Amino acid sequence: MSVAKPSNDGPIIAVQHVFKSVTDSVGTLDILRDIDFTLSRRETVAIVGASGSGKSTLLSILAGLDTPTRGTVVLDGDDLFARDEDARAALRARKVGFVFQSFQLLGNLTALENVMLPLELAGRKDARSAATDMLSRVGLSARLAQYPKVLSGGEQQRVALARAFVVEPAVLLADEPTGSLDFATGETVMQLMFDLNRERGTTLVLVTHDRGIAARCERVITIEAGRIAAT
């Protein structure tokens, strides 16, 4: 089994004085205000806060999916916002995995094809075997040929986990990954996520409303009204 290897000894993520505002006909809304912190390699971090506090926006900025009004994010030594959108996407494909509440699987692809997709986009010749092995690791070796519509919610999220981890990301970003699952299924998925994260040596950044899940992380960052209230 291969493990994500750091390119240097610095932090895997450095968030540097990030602000995010949006302006419309009513006025300007400040979503994030002077967010500044670093994350270590292999660290597990929960971002918590009330709905509307800015935590999901922060996660999107960490991935380079959204852009800050001011400030920047350095991902494994690369300044995300010194790059254009295409270059950010290429960096994201190499170093970041995602798990979402809504699974985000492609309905016209089987479980195996969903997990193969990021490997094929990266030009990996071993996409099928690597995806098969990863689905076996999450307990779905008997479901490779099934389409998402016939999989349970827990099975779909395990496919999403396999897809995220198969690219061996330096960072895994998870946004409410158990939000649409029942308690028992959510517990199973979270245990699998933490197990895979430990095995693969990634940094896990997890947005959650669940304080019990947050408590399982090494560190909790609390966002209130767009500011860091505790870390």
Side-chain angles (χ1 to χ4, degrees):
M1 177 186 65
S2 57
V3 174
K5 297 178 177 62
S7 61
N8 54 59
D9 295 328
I12 186 66
I13 294 176
V15 182
Q16 300 176 344
H17 301 290
V18 162
F19 292 75
K20 177 67 177 183
S21 302
V22 293
T23 301
D24 60 17
S25 59
V26 177
T28 298
L29 174 65
D30 296 321
I31 300 173
L32 296 174
R33 310 178 191 193
D34 200 16
I35 302 296
D36 194 86
F37 62 87
T38 61
L39 301 180
S40 302
R41 299 173 192 280
R42 299 175 177 263
E43 192 172 12
T44 57
V45 182
I47 299 175
V48 302
S51 295
S53 60
K55 56 190 185 298
S56 291
T57 299
L58 175 57
L59 200 72
S60 293
I61 289 174
L62 293 182
L65 292 168
D66 196 359
T67 57
T69 305
R70 289 161 47 197
T72 196
V73 174
V74 179
L75 172 62
D76 201 16
D78 287 295
D79 185 336
L80 278 178
F81 301 107
R83 293 166 170 256
D84 64 23
E85 188 172 344
D86 289 342
R88 286 200 303 273
L91 181 63
R92 191 162 52 240
R94 295 197 310 273
K95 297 191 176 182
V96 181
F98 297 93
V99 179
F100 300 99
Q101 177 178 341
S102 57
F103 316 134
Q104 298 291 323
L105 301 178
L106 297 178
N108 62 327
L109 300 182
T110 65
L112 179 60
E113 290 166 343
N114 266 282
V115 179
M116 287 173 61
L117 183 59
L119 298 174
E120 291 176 328
L121 292 174
R124 287 269 297 270
K125 302 300 184 185
D126 63 338
R128 179 171 292 274
S129 62
T132 300
D133 289 346
M134 196 67 232
L135 282 165
S136 177
R137 173 63 186 85
V138 301
L140 292 176
S141 57
R143 307 289 271 166
L144 303 183
Q146 302 300 315
Y147 290 89
K149 67 181 180 181
V150 301
L151 299 175
S152 69
E155 288 173 331
Q156 289 185 64
Q157 196 60 298
R158 281 188 279 160
V159 174
L161 280 177
R163 182 182 58 189
F165 278 104
V166 77
V167 297
E168 302 175 18
V171 177
L172 179 71
L173 304 176
D175 194 357
E176 299 286 0
T178 63
S180 59
L181 303 176
D182 64 76
F183 177 79
T185 303
E187 283 291 297
T188 300
V189 167
M190 285 310 306
Q191 186 59 55
L192 181 58
M193 179 181 292
F194 280 110
D195 287 347
L196 286 168
N197 189 71
R198 184 175 59 254
E199 291 170 13
R200 304 270 159 165
T202 61
T203 297
L204 173 63
V205 184
L206 171 69
V207 164
T208 182
H209 283 96
D210 189 322
R211 292 284 177 171
I213 291 174
R216 297 172 66 176
C217 294
E218 297 165 333
R219 181 177 171 198
V220 177
I221 296 174
T222 303
I223 305 293
E224 292 181 1
R227 297 184 184 273
I228 294 180
T231 182

